[in-house]
Amino acid sequence: LFVGCLWLAADGSPSAAQKEVSALVHASLTALAKRAPTDFRQAVAAFTPATRSRMEMALKEAAASASNTAQSREAAAKPASAGVASQPKIALRMDFGSFGAK
């Protein structure tokens, strides 16, 4: 039942309701797998190869999407000029040119 509710990119563009249900199912499956990993593995082993493949793809897509969303949030939080070299904000007042000369 859960696996059928997982949305895949290959399914086309999801509606808002499909996105919400898929996110809920993804969170539920992930939580279940963390709480009872052995039981989860046994249950998944009983799935048909097609069902197991669909679940795996959907969970990977959801994880990648979450990762991309987190990265874009981090990038938006950084100042736009973070990657651009700028002039120093302080000026040295001493001349270090003869420091190593003998």
Side-chain angles (χ1 to χ4, degrees):
L1 178 65
F2 277 161
V3 177
C5 294
L6 289 170
W7 175 81
L8 293 174
D11 294 340
S13 183
S15 67
Q18 287 172 321
K19 279 184 183 180
E20 188 175 341
V21 169
S22 186
L24 178 64
V25 169
H26 175 262
S28 299
L29 284 175
T30 304
L32 179 63
K34 287 179 182 177
R35 270 193 308 251
T38 304
D39 295 331
F40 184 78
R41 284 188 195 108
Q42 287 175 347
V44 170
F47 289 173
T48 65
T51 302
R52 197 170 32 248
S53 176
R54 179 178 177 82
M55 183 182 74
E56 182 181 346
M57 271 198 301
L59 292 175
K60 283 181 180 179
E61 286 179 7
S65 175
S67 176
N68 289 341
T69 302
Q71 288 175 356
S72 65
R73 282 187 200 139
E74 289 174 7
K78 291 181 182 178
S81 63
V84 178
S86 62
Q87 292 292 331
K89 294 186 175 157
I90 62 169
L92 296 177
R93 294 186 181 157
M94 296 181 69
D95 180 18
F96 293 100
S98 62
F99 180 66
K102 290 185 179 180

